[in-house]
Amino acid sequence: AGEVIAGLSREAVTDEAVQAAYDEMTATAAATPEKEWNASHILVATKQEAEAVQERLNSGEDFAAVATEVSTDPGATNGGELGWFGAGQMVPEFEAAVEGMSPGDVSGPIETQFGWHIVKLNEARVKPVPALDEVRSEIVSGIQEKVILSKIEELKAGTEVTLPADGAFDPAILQNLDLLGN
């Protein structure tokens, strides 16, 4: 079985198949571009603390310096910098705030399950499409999985398959090579 799977995989993974899968992936990405944001934040426990932080920022204090001083987030040591993130990677309240901001904007207090945030949007961009070499292994795995599942379905269609009920046998029996004979 292992040899058949390896052979199917070798035959299916051609440069042409990889390029076609990449072209399909990039066409989908171009049709539905995803936004990404780069933001910094200051996290505090109460709304009053967040309002005090906002007053300091409004009076001209440096965001990163205030974050380093008062934020309870582990990222405070690097000025509250969060790096790049996309949709669904932050709690909904946080994501909703950055979606409505322009680079350089600083939010008012935002409450989430973690506490109160003041957010600064550093940059926004459309998520770049990765180069083929960056996603080649994922594409190859996808092609291999597709061809193997297709072969399994083909074999199942040509025969009757009876699956045992859950718990009907001990999976450790699969390790007993004596069952294969000589």
Side-chain angles (χ1 to χ4, degrees):
E3 290 175 13
V4 170
I5 288 173
L8 287 170
S9 295
R10 272 192 308 274
E11 291 171 15
V13 178
T14 64
D15 288 341
E16 294 80 17
V18 171
Q19 185 65 51
Y22 177 74
D23 292 345
E24 182 181 329
M25 182 189 88
T26 56
T28 302
T32 56
E34 294 180 43
K35 281 191 84 173
E36 287 186 317
W37 302 275
N38 180 305
S40 299
H41 80 135
I42 298 170
L43 176 65
V44 292
T46 67
K47 184 176 183 178
Q48 292 76 20
E49 289 174 292
E51 289 169 343
V53 165
Q54 189 174 28
E55 286 178 28
R56 289 178 64 180
L57 297 172
N58 289 343
S59 71
E61 287 192 54
D62 179 63
F63 191 96
V66 175
T68 302
E69 179 186 331
V70 302
S71 184
T72 60
D73 184 74
T77 56
N78 63 343
E81 173 73 38
L82 296 169
W84 288 101
F85 58 91
Q89 292 183 286
M90 296 292 180
V91 293
E93 304 88 351
F94 195 99
E95 186 176 317
V98 297
E99 281 181 341
M101 296 171 70
S102 296
D105 288 353
V106 176
S107 75
I110 302 164
E111 184 178 21
T112 71
Q113 66 197 43
F114 302 106
W116 288 85
H117 305 259
I118 301 291
V119 179
K120 178 181 180 185
L121 182 60
N122 301 321
E123 295 179 70
R125 68 181 182 194
V126 173
K127 184 177 181 178
V129 176
L132 175 57
D133 287 340
E134 293 175 33
V135 291
R136 181 179 297 278
S137 64
E138 294 169 38
I139 290 173
V140 166
S141 294
I143 292 170
Q144 291 171 332
E145 181 179 352
K146 188 182 287 184
V147 73
I148 291 165
L149 291 176
S150 176
K151 184 64 174 180
I152 289 170
E153 289 304 315
E154 175 189 323
L155 293 171
K156 284 172 56 177
T159 189
E160 183 180 329
V161 178
T162 305
L163 298 174
D166 286 345
F169 76 94
D170 181 4
I173 198 167
L174 298 173
Q175 301 297 321
N176 185 351
L177 298 180
D178 294 334
L179 295 173
L180 295 175
N182 291 330

